[in-house]
Protein backbone atom coordinates (compact mmCIF):
# COMPACT_ATOMS: atom_id res chain seq x y z
CA UNK A 1 0.00 0.00 0.00
CA UNK A 2 2.79 2.42 0.92
CA UNK A 3 4.66 1.56 -2.30
CA UNK A 4 1.54 2.25 -4.40
CA UNK A 5 1.01 5.55 -2.63
CA UNK A 6 4.64 6.54 -3.29
CA UNK A 7 4.27 5.76 -7.02
CA UNK A 8 1.12 7.88 -7.22
CA UNK A 9 2.86 10.77 -5.44
CA UNK A 10 5.87 10.48 -7.78
CA UNK A 11 3.56 10.59 -10.79
CA UNK A 12 1.76 13.65 -9.45
CA UNK A 13 5.13 15.39 -8.85
CA UNK A 14 6.24 14.74 -12.44
CA UNK A 15 2.94 15.97 -13.84
CA UNK A 16 3.09 19.08 -11.66
CA UNK A 17 6.55 19.87 -12.97
CA UNK A 18 5.75 19.47 -16.67
CA UNK A 19 3.44 20.92 -19.25
CA UNK A 20 1.50 19.21 -21.97
CA UNK A 21 1.75 20.35 -25.57
CA UNK A 22 -1.01 22.72 -26.61
CA UNK A 23 -3.06 21.22 -29.42
CA UNK A 24 -2.23 24.15 -31.74
CA UNK A 25 1.53 23.46 -31.59
CA UNK A 26 2.80 22.17 -34.93
CA UNK A 27 4.59 18.81 -34.70
CA UNK A 28 4.61 17.60 -38.30
CA UNK A 29 7.48 19.11 -40.30
CA UNK A 30 7.54 16.60 -43.13
CA UNK A 31 6.44 19.36 -45.53
CA UNK A 32 6.99 22.49 -43.42
CA UNK A 33 10.04 24.62 -42.69
CA UNK A 34 11.27 23.99 -39.17
CA UNK A 35 13.50 25.99 -36.85
CA UNK A 36 16.42 23.74 -37.68
CA UNK A 37 15.95 23.89 -41.44
CA UNK A 38 15.52 27.68 -41.42
CA UNK A 39 18.78 28.15 -39.53
CA UNK A 40 20.51 25.29 -41.40
CA UNK A 41 21.50 23.83 -38.06
CA UNK A 42 22.62 20.57 -39.62
CA UNK A 43 25.32 22.51 -41.47
CA UNK A 44 26.05 24.92 -38.63
CA UNK A 45 26.39 22.33 -35.89
CA UNK A 46 28.50 20.00 -38.02
CA UNK A 47 31.17 22.69 -38.53
CA UNK A 48 32.94 22.14 -35.20
CA UNK A 49 35.69 19.69 -36.11
CA UNK A 50 38.62 19.51 -33.67
CA UNK A 51 41.95 18.70 -35.29
CA UNK A 52 43.87 17.61 -32.18
CA UNK A 53 44.74 13.91 -31.90
CA UNK A 54 43.75 12.55 -29.54
CA UNK A 55 40.93 15.06 -29.52
CA UNK A 56 41.41 17.54 -26.70
CA UNK A 57 38.31 18.44 -24.68
CA UNK A 58 38.96 22.20 -24.67
CA UNK A 59 39.43 22.56 -28.43
CA UNK A 60 35.64 22.67 -28.81
CA UNK A 61 35.57 25.87 -26.73
CA UNK A 62 38.30 27.37 -28.91
CA UNK A 63 36.42 26.57 -32.14
CA UNK A 64 33.00 27.74 -30.95
CA UNK A 65 34.47 30.97 -29.55
CA UNK A 66 36.00 31.90 -32.89
CA UNK A 67 33.08 30.73 -35.01
CA UNK A 68 30.58 32.78 -33.01
CA UNK A 69 32.91 35.77 -33.26
CA UNK A 70 32.91 35.40 -37.04
CA UNK A 71 29.10 35.26 -37.08
CA UNK A 72 28.90 38.47 -35.05
CA UNK A 73 31.51 40.10 -37.31
CA UNK A 74 29.35 39.18 -40.29
CA UNK A 75 26.47 41.11 -38.72
CA UNK A 76 28.73 44.02 -37.74
CA UNK A 77 29.92 44.33 -41.35
CA UNK A 78 26.34 44.05 -42.59
CA UNK A 79 25.25 46.91 -40.32
CA UNK A 80 28.25 49.15 -41.00
CA UNK A 81 27.77 48.85 -44.76
CA UNK A 82 24.09 49.67 -44.29
CA UNK A 83 25.04 52.70 -42.17
CA UNK A 84 27.44 53.90 -44.88
CA UNK A 85 24.72 53.50 -47.52
CA UNK A 86 22.31 55.45 -45.31
CA UNK A 87 24.80 58.32 -45.00
CA UNK A 88 25.18 58.24 -48.78
CA UNK A 89 21.39 58.56 -49.02
CA UNK A 90 21.37 61.41 -46.45
CA UNK A 91 19.38 59.26 -44.03
CA UNK A 92 21.27 59.99 -40.82
CA UNK A 93 18.61 58.47 -38.57
CA UNK A 94 18.87 55.09 -40.26
CA UNK A 95 22.67 55.24 -40.20
CA UNK A 96 22.70 55.91 -36.46
CA UNK A 97 20.22 53.08 -35.87
CA UNK A 98 22.62 50.67 -37.59
CA UNK A 99 25.54 52.00 -35.55
CA UNK A 100 23.54 51.61 -32.34
CA UNK A 101 23.03 47.94 -33.16
CA UNK A 102 26.74 47.50 -33.81
CA UNK A 103 27.47 48.94 -30.37
CA UNK A 104 25.36 46.22 -28.73
CA UNK A 105 27.09 43.53 -30.78
CA UNK A 106 30.46 44.91 -29.69
CA UNK A 107 29.52 44.50 -26.05
CA UNK A 108 28.67 40.85 -26.67
CA UNK A 109 31.93 40.31 -28.54
CA UNK A 110 33.92 41.86 -25.71
CA UNK A 111 32.21 39.80 -23.04
CA UNK A 112 32.92 36.61 -25.02
CA UNK A 113 36.59 36.91 -24.13
CA UNK A 114 35.70 35.96 -20.56
CA UNK A 115 34.63 32.54 -21.82
CA UNK A 116 37.88 31.94 -23.70
CA UNK A 117 39.81 33.16 -20.66
CA UNK A 118 38.70 29.99 -18.85
CA UNK A 119 41.16 28.15 -21.10
CA UNK A 120 44.31 27.77 -19.02
CA UNK A 121 47.84 27.94 -20.49
CA UNK A 122 48.31 24.21 -19.89
CA UNK A 123 45.05 23.28 -21.57
CA UNK A 124 45.75 25.42 -24.63
CA UNK A 125 49.31 24.17 -24.98
CA UNK A 126 48.01 20.64 -25.32
CA UNK A 127 46.33 21.35 -28.67
CA UNK A 128 47.87 24.62 -29.89
CA UNK A 129 50.47 22.81 -31.97
CA UNK A 130 47.73 21.21 -34.07
CA UNK A 131 46.53 24.65 -35.27
CA UNK A 132 49.52 25.10 -37.59
CA UNK A 133 49.65 28.67 -38.90
CA UNK A 134 45.91 29.31 -38.60
CA UNK A 135 45.31 32.50 -36.63
CA UNK A 136 42.68 35.14 -35.95
CA UNK A 137 45.08 37.46 -37.73
CA UNK A 138 43.71 35.88 -40.92
CA UNK A 139 40.08 36.83 -40.25
CA UNK A 140 39.06 38.64 -43.43
CA UNK A 141 35.83 39.85 -41.81
CA UNK A 142 37.77 41.55 -39.02
CA UNK A 143 39.96 43.24 -41.63
CA UNK A 144 36.85 44.23 -43.58
CA UNK A 145 35.39 45.90 -40.49
CA UNK A 146 38.65 47.77 -39.96
CA UNK A 147 38.66 48.88 -43.61
CA UNK A 148 35.06 50.15 -43.41
CA UNK A 149 35.98 52.11 -40.29
CA UNK A 150 39.05 53.64 -41.97
CA UNK A 151 41.97 51.54 -40.68
CA UNK A 152 43.06 50.53 -44.18
CA UNK A 153 46.26 48.71 -45.00
CA UNK A 154 46.84 47.55 -48.56
CA UNK A 155 49.57 45.22 -47.34
CA UNK A 156 46.93 43.10 -45.59
CA UNK A 157 45.59 41.93 -48.93
CA UNK A 158 48.62 39.67 -49.38
CA UNK A 159 47.40 37.55 -46.45
CA UNK A 160 44.30 36.67 -48.47
CA UNK A 161 45.92 36.00 -51.86
CA UNK A 162 44.87 32.34 -51.63
CA UNK A 163 41.24 33.25 -50.82
CA UNK A 164 39.77 34.96 -53.92
CA UNK A 165 36.47 35.93 -52.31
CA UNK A 166 38.10 37.49 -49.24
CA UNK A 167 40.70 39.24 -51.39
CA UNK A 168 37.99 40.62 -53.67
CA UNK A 169 35.97 41.97 -50.74
CA UNK A 170 38.95 43.68 -49.12
CA UNK A 171 40.19 45.11 -52.42
CA UNK A 172 36.76 46.64 -53.01
CA UNK A 173 36.56 48.10 -49.50
CA UNK A 174 40.09 49.47 -49.86
CA UNK A 175 39.02 51.57 -52.84
CA UNK A 176 35.71 52.73 -51.35
CA UNK A 177 35.04 55.56 -48.88
CA UNK A 178 34.95 54.57 -45.23
CA UNK A 179 31.94 55.05 -42.98
CA UNK A 180 33.58 58.23 -41.66
CA UNK A 181 34.17 59.54 -45.20
CA UNK A 182 30.51 58.96 -46.03
CA UNK A 183 29.51 60.82 -42.86
CA UNK A 184 31.49 63.97 -43.72
CA UNK A 185 30.12 63.96 -47.24
CA UNK A 186 26.61 63.70 -45.80
CA UNK A 187 27.29 66.70 -43.57
CA UNK A 188 28.58 68.66 -46.54
CA UNK A 189 25.31 68.06 -48.38
CA UNK A 190 23.41 69.16 -45.27
CA UNK A 191 25.05 72.56 -45.51
CA UNK A 192 27.89 72.23 -43.01
CA UNK A 193 31.23 73.76 -43.97
CA UNK A 194 33.22 70.56 -44.31
CA UNK A 195 36.76 71.32 -45.54
CA UNK A 196 37.72 70.06 -48.99
CA UNK A 197 40.58 68.11 -47.44
CA UNK A 198 38.02 65.85 -45.76
CA UNK A 199 35.93 65.42 -48.89
CA UNK A 200 38.70 64.80 -51.38
CA UNK A 201 41.18 62.66 -49.42
CA UNK A 202 42.63 59.46 -50.87
CA UNK A 203 40.21 56.89 -49.47
CA UNK A 204 42.58 53.99 -50.17
CA UNK A 205 44.88 55.22 -47.39
CA UNK A 206 44.45 54.76 -43.66
CA UNK A 207 42.51 57.64 -42.14
CA UNK A 208 44.67 60.15 -40.25
CA UNK A 209 43.71 63.14 -38.18
CA UNK A 210 42.62 66.22 -40.12
CA UNK A 211 43.14 69.41 -38.05
CA UNK A 212 40.85 71.33 -40.41
CA UNK A 213 37.85 69.45 -38.97
CA UNK A 214 38.42 70.53 -35.37
CA UNK A 215 36.69 73.89 -35.79
CA UNK A 216 33.53 72.31 -37.21
CA UNK A 217 33.45 69.68 -34.47
CA UNK A 218 33.88 72.19 -31.65
CA UNK A 219 31.15 74.42 -33.10
CA UNK A 220 28.71 71.49 -33.09
CA UNK A 221 29.54 70.62 -29.48
CA UNK A 222 29.32 74.26 -28.44
CA UNK A 223 25.78 74.56 -29.81
CA UNK A 224 24.46 71.02 -29.50
CA UNK A 225 20.79 72.00 -29.44
CA UNK A 226 21.05 73.62 -32.86
CA UNK A 227 23.06 70.70 -34.23
CA UNK A 228 21.52 67.84 -32.30
CA UNK A 229 21.56 65.19 -35.04
CA UNK A 230 25.22 65.81 -35.81
CA UNK A 231 26.06 66.06 -32.11
CA UNK A 232 24.42 62.68 -31.56
CA UNK A 233 26.34 61.23 -34.51
CA UNK A 234 29.63 62.42 -33.02
CA UNK A 235 28.85 60.68 -29.73
CA UNK A 236 27.80 57.47 -31.51
CA UNK A 237 31.13 57.42 -33.35
CA UNK A 238 33.00 57.93 -30.09
CA UNK A 239 31.08 55.05 -28.50
CA UNK A 240 31.83 52.87 -31.52
CA UNK A 241 35.56 53.53 -31.26
CA UNK A 242 35.66 53.10 -27.50
CA UNK A 243 33.88 49.74 -27.76
CA UNK A 244 36.32 48.63 -30.44
CA UNK A 245 39.27 49.58 -28.25
CA UNK A 246 37.80 47.70 -25.29
CA UNK A 247 37.46 44.64 -27.52
CA UNK A 248 41.09 44.98 -28.63
CA UNK A 249 42.21 45.35 -25.01
CA UNK A 250 40.31 42.27 -23.84
CA UNK A 251 41.73 40.35 -26.80
CA UNK A 252 45.28 41.34 -25.87
CA UNK A 253 44.79 40.49 -22.20
CA UNK A 254 43.22 37.12 -23.00
CA UNK A 255 46.15 36.24 -25.26
CA UNK A 256 48.61 37.35 -22.56
CA UNK A 257 46.77 35.26 -20.00
CA UNK A 258 46.78 32.18 -22.23
CA UNK A 259 50.17 32.16 -24.01
CA UNK A 260 52.18 34.92 -22.36
CA UNK A 261 54.65 36.55 -24.74
CA UNK A 262 54.87 33.68 -27.23
CA UNK A 263 54.63 34.45 -30.94
CA UNK A 264 51.22 34.03 -32.55
CA UNK A 265 50.47 30.92 -34.59
CA UNK A 266 50.18 33.14 -37.66
CA UNK A 267 53.70 34.51 -37.16
CA UNK A 268 52.91 37.83 -35.44
CA UNK A 269 54.68 38.92 -32.27
CA UNK A 270 51.51 38.06 -30.36
CA UNK A 271 50.82 40.34 -27.42
CA UNK A 272 53.22 43.00 -28.74
CA UNK A 273 51.36 43.17 -32.04
CA UNK A 274 48.02 43.45 -30.24
CA UNK A 275 49.33 46.17 -27.95
CA UNK A 276 50.31 48.29 -30.95
CA UNK A 277 46.79 47.91 -32.32
CA UNK A 278 45.57 49.87 -29.30
CA UNK A 279 47.30 52.92 -30.75
CA UNK A 280 45.16 52.84 -33.90
CA UNK A 281 42.18 55.17 -34.08
CA UNK A 282 39.17 55.57 -36.34
CA UNK A 283 37.79 59.02 -35.60
CA UNK A 284 40.73 60.97 -34.12
CA UNK A 285 39.35 64.50 -34.39
CA UNK A 286 36.31 63.66 -32.25
CA UNK A 287 38.63 63.05 -29.31
CA UNK A 288 41.13 65.77 -30.15
CA UNK A 289 38.38 68.39 -30.25
CA UNK A 290 37.67 67.75 -26.58
CA UNK A 291 40.90 69.51 -25.69
CA UNK A 292 39.61 72.65 -27.40
CA UNK A 293 36.05 72.60 -26.04
CA UNK A 294 35.73 74.96 -23.11
CA UNK A 295 39.43 75.84 -23.17
Amino acid sequence: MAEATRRVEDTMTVEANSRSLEKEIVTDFSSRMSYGSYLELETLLSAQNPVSRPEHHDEMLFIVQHQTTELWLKLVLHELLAARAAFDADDMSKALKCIARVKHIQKTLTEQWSVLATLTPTEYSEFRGFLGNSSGFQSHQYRAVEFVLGNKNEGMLAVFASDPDAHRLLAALLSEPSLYDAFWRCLDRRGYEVPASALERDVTKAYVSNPELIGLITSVYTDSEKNWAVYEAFEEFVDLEENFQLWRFRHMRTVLRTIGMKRGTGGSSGVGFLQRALELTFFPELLEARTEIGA
Side-chain angles (χ1 to χ4, degrees):
M1 181 68 178
E3 178 64 19
T5 301
R6 185 183 64 77
R7 287 200 299 269
V8 170
E9 290 175 346
D10 288 346
T11 300
M12 292 175 64
T13 299
V14 170
E15 290 178 349
N17 196 35
S18 65
R19 55 179 177 175
S20 58
L21 290 180
E22 298 170 353
K23 63 179 181 179
E24 292 83 3
I25 291 177
V26 178
T27 58
D28 180 6
F29 295 97
S30 57
S31 60
R32 296 182 175 93
M33 180 172 65
S34 68
Y35 174 82
S37 60
Y38 172 66
L39 295 177
E40 297 190 46
L41 290 184
E42 183 177 355
T43 299
L44 185 65
L45 298 180
S46 64
Q48 295 74 46
N49 301 300
V51 297
S52 55
R53 294 294 179 270
E55 183 177 316
H56 194 282
H57 171 80
D58 295 299
E59 191 181 352
M60 183 62 72
L61 160 63
F62 194 78
I63 292 172
V64 170
Q65 169 86 22
H66 288 83
Q67 286 183 340
T68 52
T69 295
E70 289 296 328
L71 286 172
W72 284 123
L73 286 174
K74 183 172 185 176
L75 184 55
V76 167
L77 186 59
H78 176 72
E79 296 296 339
L80 290 178
L81 291 175
R84 187 181 66 175
F87 281 135
D88 288 341
D90 296 325
D91 190 345
M92 188 172 292
S93 295
K94 182 177 180 180
L96 296 186
K97 174 63 167 65
C98 293
I99 292 173
R101 179 173 292 167
V102 169
K103 287 164 52 180
H104 285 285
I105 299 169
Q106 288 176 307
K107 291 178 181 178
T108 297
L109 282 168
T110 299
E111 185 57 35
Q112 278 189 189
W113 289 118
S114 66
V115 183
L116 192 61
T118 65
L119 183 67
T120 68
T122 303
E123 290 166 345
Y124 185 40
S125 68
E126 291 174 354
F127 68 85
R128 186 177 188 243
F130 290 94
L131 304 180
N133 292 123
S134 62
S135 166
F137 180 85
Q138 299 142 18
S139 168
H140 80 274
Q141 291 196 122
Y142 175 79
R143 298 303 167 197
V145 169
E146 282 198 320
F147 278 23
V148 172
L149 292 177
N151 277 168
K152 299 185 179 185
N153 184 344
E154 187 175 5
M156 285 291 179
L157 269 64
V159 178
F160 305 97
S162 61
D163 186 341
D165 290 338
H167 190 277
R168 191 177 304 111
L169 171 64
L170 291 173
L173 292 175
L174 182 71
S175 65
E176 297 170 358
S178 70
L179 177 70
Y180 203 39
D181 292 320
F183 170 71
W184 290 118
R185 295 177 184 188
C186 176
L187 257 58
D188 179 65
R189 292 189 296 272
R190 290 168 72 104
Y192 285 85
E193 296 183 5
V194 180
S197 56
L199 303 173
E200 300 168 1
R201 79 174 196 92
D202 183 353
V203 299
T204 67
K205 305 299 182 184
Y207 190 88
V208 294
S209 178
N210 184 348
E212 294 184 9
L213 285 169
I214 300 297
L216 171 55
I217 294 169
T218 56
S219 68
V220 168
Y221 274 106
T222 301
D223 193 352
S224 59
E225 291 187 8
K226 179 182 177 182
N227 304 283
W228 187 261
V230 181
Y231 170 80
E232 182 181 19
F234 286 171
E235 288 298 283
E236 290 290 295
F237 277 123
V238 171
D239 287 345
L240 188 64
E241 170 147 345
E242 185 168 292
N243 287 347
F244 207 101
Q245 293 289 43
L246 288 172
W247 184 90
R248 283 172 167 163
F249 179 77
R250 286 296 300 274
H251 182 193
M252 182 270 292
R253 295 299 301 183
T254 302
V255 171
L256 179 62
R257 176 175 178 152
T258 309
I259 67 169
M261 300 303 291
K262 294 185 184 73
R263 296 194 72 84
T265 49
S268 76
S269 58
V271 168
F273 183 81
L274 298 175
Q275 285 176 327
R276 290 192 295 277
L278 292 171
E279 299 172 2
L280 301 176
T281 181
F282 298 119
F283 321 118
E285 305 89 355
L286 296 182
L287 294 177
E288 292 165 7
R290 282 158 163 73
T291 305
E292 304 299 325
I293 297 169

